[in-house]
């Protein structure tokens, strides 16, 4: 075998032990359960006992992975932020900026309607305080905000979004689609499909932002 093969990253990368693989698989199951419970109930109503029961492990075992309820929820928020960044990476950035922003809004609503979007913590929540010191979450949020901010500025420059609106207001309007209660109300009515709901909310959002 040549030295090039021996020194390649693939050859030299250590394989995870079975125990490490099981540890990671359990953490993944825990975060998935937390994500579902946060989407369904919110941080305040979710309990660690519920998470442990859903995963099928003892609460003491759960704490070996995540030492607090805040850590559990933060891990789920980081996962969603990672999913958002991956979605942004998949977009064709040569498209018109307004189309990119609509694609992002559509994706957030699809995730929420699928029951996979954690509810955002309230202003006085201990989770919100924990997230402000969680570097992976803060870094992800800054990255997403900066990318959306550039598209908002492009859309305002070409007149597809009202240039009189402060960009930060447009950004928060887009973020609000991730926790828009209208989606749940319309879905609960049983009168519309998820696609119809998304089209209605997209229309009311972006038609209101367009230059008259």
């Amino acid at each position: 075998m040549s030295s090039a093969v021996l020194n390649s990253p693939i050859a030299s990368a250590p394989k995870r032990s079975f125990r490490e693989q099981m540890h990671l698989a359990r953490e993944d199951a825990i975060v998935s359960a937390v994500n579902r419970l946060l989407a369904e109930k919110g941080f305040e109503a979710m309990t660690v006992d519920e998470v442990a029961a859903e995963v099928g492990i003892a609460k003491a075992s759960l704490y070996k992975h995540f030492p607090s309820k805040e850590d559990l929820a933060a891990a789920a928020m980081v996962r969603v932020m990672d999913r958002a960044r991956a979605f942004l990476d998949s977009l064709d950035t040569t498209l018109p900026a307004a189309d990119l922003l609509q694609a992002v809004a559509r994706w957030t609503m699809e995730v929420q309607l699928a029951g996979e979007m954690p509810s955002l913590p309230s202003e006085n929540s201990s989770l919100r305080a924990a997230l402000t010191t969680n570097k992976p979450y803060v870094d992800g949020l800054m990255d997403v905000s900066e990318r959306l901010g550039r598209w908002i500025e492009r859309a305002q420059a070409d007149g597809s979004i009202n240039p009189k609106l402060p960009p930060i207001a447009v950004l928060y309007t887009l973020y609000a689609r991730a926790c828009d209660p209208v989606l749940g109300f319309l879905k609960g009515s049983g009168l519309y499909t998820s696609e119809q709901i998304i089209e209605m909310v997209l229309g009311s959002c972006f038609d209101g932002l367009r230059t008259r």
Side-chain angles (χ1 to χ4, degrees):
M1 185 178 294
S2 69
S3 60
V5 173
L6 288 173
N7 293 327
S8 70
I10 295 176
S12 60
K15 291 184 178 179
R16 290 194 177 100
S17 68
F18 177 76
R19 183 173 182 178
E20 289 172 326
Q21 292 179 45
M22 292 298 295
H23 181 87
L24 292 173
R26 178 174 286 182
E27 282 196 353
D28 182 71
I30 292 170
V31 174
S32 295
V34 172
N35 195 92
R36 287 192 297 274
L37 289 168
L38 285 176
E40 177 187 340
K41 310 181 73 169
F43 176 72
E44 282 75 18
M46 182 190 79
T47 68
V48 176
D49 288 318
E50 286 176 315
V51 177
E54 183 157 335
V55 180
I57 61 175
K59 186 159 64 169
S61 298
L62 185 67
Y63 281 129
K64 291 179 181 178
H65 295 269
F66 300 96
S68 71
K69 179 181 173 181
E70 288 75 16
D71 289 321
L72 279 167
M77 298 297 289
V78 168
R79 173 179 287 186
V80 169
M81 193 61 65
D82 288 342
R83 286 182 65 186
R85 295 170 80 180
F87 177 74
L88 295 185
D89 289 340
S90 73
L91 294 175
D92 178 1
T93 56
T94 64
L95 292 172
D99 290 353
L100 293 170
L101 295 172
Q102 286 198 47
V104 173
R106 174 182 292 278
W107 177 82
T108 61
M109 289 189 284
E110 288 173 346
V111 174
Q112 184 183 349
L113 286 169
E116 299 171 357
M117 181 66 74
S119 300
L120 295 176
S122 59
E123 287 291 339
N124 60 352
S125 169
S126 59
L127 173 57
R128 186 177 288 271
L131 288 174
T132 61
T133 59
N134 186 299
K135 191 174 186 306
Y137 178 80
V138 172
D139 287 349
L141 180 61
M142 291 298 294
D143 178 38
V144 170
S145 297
E146 287 172 3
R147 288 200 252 181
L148 293 181
R150 289 194 294 270
W151 296 342
I152 290 168
E153 290 175 352
R154 277 174 49 193
Q156 290 183 315
D158 66 27
S160 56
I161 286 181
N162 189 345
K164 295 181 180 179
L165 292 170
I168 190 70
V170 180
L171 178 65
Y172 287 161
T173 297
L174 294 173
Y175 278 148
R177 302 288 70 76
C179 53
D180 193 339
V182 172
L183 300 175
F185 294 148
L186 292 174
K187 184 177 181 179
S189 73
L191 299 174
Y192 309 101
T193 65
S194 292
E195 182 59 28
Q196 288 173 325
I197 292 170
I198 289 171
E199 289 301 324
M200 283 189 285
V201 177
L202 272 180
S204 63
C205 175
F206 281 89
D207 288 344
L209 293 175
R210 293 187 188 282
T211 304
R212 300 290 181 184

